[in-house]
Amino acid sequence: MHVFSRLLDRLSLEPRRLAKEALLVRYFQETPDPERGYALAALTGDLKFKHAKPAVLKALIAERSDETLFALSYDFVGDLSETIALMWPALPDDGASVERQRIELTGVVDALETAGKTDAPRLIASWLDQLDETGRWALLKLVTGGLRVGVSARLAKTAVARLGDLSVSDIEEVWFGLKPPFESLFAWAEGKGERPDNLDPAPFRPVMLAHPLDADRDPAQLDAAEFAVEWKWDGIRIQAAAGETRDGQKVRRLFSRTGEDISRAFPDVLDALNFNGCIDGELLVMEGGKVRPFGDLQKRLNRKTAGPKLLKEFPAAIRAYDLLSLNGEDLRPLPFEERRRRLEEFVADFSHPRIDLSPLVPVTSWQDVTEARNTPESRLDKEDVAAVEGLMLKRWDAAYTGGRPKGLWYKWKREPHLIDAVLMYAQRGHGKRSSFYSDYTFGLWRAAETGDELVPVGKAYFGFTDEELQQIDKFVRGNTTNRFGPVREVAYSKDHGLVLEVAFEGLNRSSRHKSGVAMRFPRISRLRWDKPAGEADRLETLEKLLEPVRVASN
């Protein structure tokens, strides 16, 4: 655990992406199998321990510390693993350096994967007793699965690719047929073995992503005629893959854009995958061929399963963008124009109500593209306008390449909505933000029996600079009126308060929120120190934006 904990510690303190990558490459070069494979699995979120949960850790520290002291410490630190690592009492005899060397990552993983419900707490406690502070922190991060060291799964795979002459797309191509500790993967990356076989008949393919369009520069440099233009639908990007094993068993899977298998939550869509191939598309809630608000899709997300009532009220479907494979043929090397033709033929022949075709937007110039982006209502039915985020532009001659290649795909979102809201509550962040109040709940004014009142309408935790974070944190600490654990209520009135300009992508009705609305992707656009709180926007401002959503729902 010593080498692994040192790696996590350095990663958590290093802000630069390339420097993090270099740390990972060096670790993978110097660390033998299977230790480095389990470290890779931890970084990519591929380690799950059934009986090691946060509740177990809280129970262990409760046996060894004062409950009030722990609550106060957790409130201040803001991170469970770090709090327990700092508070865990050291053994009276601290001469156990030999014992500490015996605690290796491989042994920890093997023990936790086979441990029963009563064994896991005992094992964790014994390891915590023998490890130093950094080792305890790393162990607890491993156990909870929330490393929070600024390393994405893709960055970890990129580091593996750099062990040899591979690309990260090469790694992702075989990833979903492999299991920890990935010994065959490391051997291939280092040129010591063959490419791992992926016999999965319905694998995840590396997703192709788009660059944001620079409206001031790109139109002058790009020829609109060289691009296909599509609507960017407001759902979640998915891959629908299906095939047969060698013994004839059907395999059907639905993947998120990150490769998470979400099949169990969408059995209605899974039943429709009666083909041998892979579709790239958007998962939406649809009824009668019309897209329903994103809020309806949210009711289906983050669930392990979906019951009959949910399936009936919120029927999911796929709006297809691309065809990646069909009947054993890999179509990704083909130009988009040919893949699109094959996709149109496939959808027409397949003819299933759960899978339809995302229409192209006919354009001949950048003026056409701009008009379609700014006024989709001129080209779409009212029901679909609220479900459009913007446009996608794809070169007709582009192959389907995993990652975000330059110059091939662009996304041009519609301008975000802006409102001026008043800060109401602030909560401590996590990781490097654990010492700051960085999660903000904001509200708008509405009429009440006793006069105007603020009602919460959203929460945001990004969009501001480090300097602005310090300014807001200072305001929160100097204007706290109430405390609720890690949350502080701040002073607000017509004459006093901090006004935040909030940008957001869309809006949905929500029965779960007191305001009756839920924002899509809210973020802090700027701080309005110049604006009195009494001049912030009213709830009616948001309710007017709900008109298109109301039409779509009806």
Side-chain angles (χ1 to χ4, degrees), residues 295-312:
D296 289 352
L297 178 61
Q298 280 187 309
K299 294 179 173 63
R300 296 286 305 269
L301 299 177
N302 301 317
R303 294 176 180 267
K304 293 183 178 180
T305 59
K309 186 173 183 291
L310 207 63
L311 294 174
K312 182 179 179 181

Side-chain angles (χ1 to χ4, degrees), residues 8 10 66 153 162 169 180 201 218 238 254 309 334 340 351 402 426 450 475 483 497:
L8 293 189
R10 294 187 67 183
D66 178 76
R162 281 195 53 198
S169 294
D218 290 335
I238 55 89
L254 198 65
K309 186 173 183 291
L334 299 177
R340 175 71 190 194
S351 187
T450 57
F475 175 86
R483 302 182 187 216

Side-chain angles (χ1 to χ4, degrees), residues 496-554:
H496 181 78
L498 174 56
V499 177
L500 309 172
E501 183 180 84
V502 179
F504 59 99
E505 302 297 332
L507 200 65
N508 294 298
R509 284 208 171 276
S510 173
S511 58
R512 294 185 303 154
H513 296 79
K514 185 178 179 181
S515 63
V517 297
M519 293 179 176
R520 285 269 284 145
F521 302 125
R523 56 195 180 276
I524 307 302
S525 177
R526 60 176 173 147
L527 309 183
R528 296 299 307 271
W529 298 105
D530 61 308
K531 193 164 191 173
E535 294 181 14
D537 284 314
R538 302 184 65 83
L539 184 59
E540 292 89 333
T541 305
L542 286 188
E543 291 175 337
K544 290 179 181 178
L545 295 175
L546 282 169
E547 290 303 322
V549 176
R550 190 177 297 117
V551 170
S553 298
N554 292 336

Side-chain angles (χ1 to χ4, degrees), residues 433-506:
R433 286 185 173 180
S434 61
S435 297
F436 294 96
Y437 288 91
S438 61
D439 296 12
Y440 309 121
T441 299
F442 46 84
L444 300 181
W445 296 106
R446 72 173 179 184
E449 292 183 1
T450 57
D452 283 350
E453 66 174 4
L454 276 177
V455 58
V457 295
K459 185 174 182 177
Y461 47 87
F462 69 100
F464 40 82
T465 66
D466 289 343
E467 181 181 354
E468 288 173 331
L469 171 61
Q470 294 180 18
Q471 293 173 359
I472 304 173
D473 182 77
K474 182 178 180 180
F475 175 86
V476 170
R477 295 176 188 275
N479 293 272
T480 297
T481 60
N482 212 340
R483 302 182 187 216
F484 309 93
V487 179
R488 290 194 181 192
E489 183 178 15
V490 300
Y492 52 82
S493 67
K494 288 281 187 174
D495 301 318
H496 181 78
L498 174 56
V499 177
L500 309 172
E501 183 180 84
V502 179
F504 59 99
E505 302 297 332

Side-chain angles (χ1 to χ4, degrees), residues 201-202 239-244 250-253 269-280 318 323 325-327 346 350 352 355:
Q239 276 185 25
E244 290 187 1
K250 285 279 188 182
V251 179
R252 305 173 184 180
R253 293 198 184 99
V269 175
L270 210 64
D271 288 344
L273 307 187
N274 189 26
F275 56 83
N276 182 355
C278 182
I279 296 172
D280 181 354
I318 296 171
L323 189 60
S325 70
L326 186 63
N327 297 326
F346 168 79
F350 192 61
H352 195 290
I355 300 176

